[in-house]
Amino acid sequence: CSAFAGCAASGTPAQEPAAQGQQDQQQGDTQPSSGQEQQTSAAAELSDEQAKKIVLEDAGLSEADISQLRISREREDGVRVIDLTFYAGPKKYDYELNAASGEIRSMDMEQQPTSAPGGTAAISEADAKRIVQEQLPGVTETDIRLHLEQDDGRAVYEGEVFYQQSEYNFTIDAVDGTLLDWEMERVGRG
């Protein structure tokens, strides 16, 4: 998997706590109290360290590369999720993981533009598609939809790709080829 591909995490770390929680339930009394239920639920979730390891691996970064890490937990669409936000140089990353399985439900990377406003597109549409293909090996040019437009006086390519049960949206600086925004969201999940 490449950085930003939104690869599902290996199930190993997430399965161990879940299996332990199921084992605890099987060995306990017939009905756990609500306190025991909460402990079992928490035990089935990834730790903050496991969640951090998954997103750093996906982004192709090390802990030394990042700053301002924020981790929060919530319920979204009936699923417990872990939200992680951090910075790596001029890039801001936002990830949402399934708290039990470690699956990356969505990710977003934004970067400040490096070219000055104005100017015309210096990279071609084919160059922009190659930039997307570097992020998603296996995607063909025909899978990529993009268009040239002006965003705050800057020439950018905006587009989308549907690939391996995920939707990717992106913005590429059309002057220097910098990937300014990259978003991934799983589609068809329950």
Side-chain angles (χ1 to χ4, degrees), residues 148-160:
L148 182 64
E149 67 176 51
Q150 291 289 315
D151 184 18
D152 294 329
R154 181 178 320 276
V156 296
Y157 286 103
E158 290 193 350
E160 65 185 7

Side-chain angles (χ1 to χ4, degrees), residues 69-145:
L69 173 66
R70 287 191 337 250
I71 301 174
S72 62
R73 294 168 185 268
E74 63 186 17
R75 183 171 298 279
E76 187 172 297
D77 300 326
V79 176
R80 294 279 302 156
V81 298
I82 304 172
D83 292 317
L84 297 96
T85 302
F86 57 91
Y87 292 83
K91 298 177 182 177
K92 178 183 178 186
Y93 294 82
D94 288 305
Y95 277 86
E96 181 180 281
L97 302 180
N98 179 305
S101 71
E103 176 189 30
I104 298 171
R105 292 171 48 101
S106 66
M107 75 82 59
D108 181 23
M109 183 284 300
E110 295 178 15
Q111 177 169 319
Q112 293 300 315
T114 55
S115 68
T120 58
I123 66 167
S124 68
E125 187 173 304
D127 291 335
K129 287 183 177 185
R130 277 192 288 284
I131 292 168
V132 173
Q133 288 174 305
E134 289 172 8
Q135 302 303 316
L136 291 170
V139 167
T140 65
E141 278 195 39
T142 58
D143 294 329
I144 302 168
R145 290 185 181 150

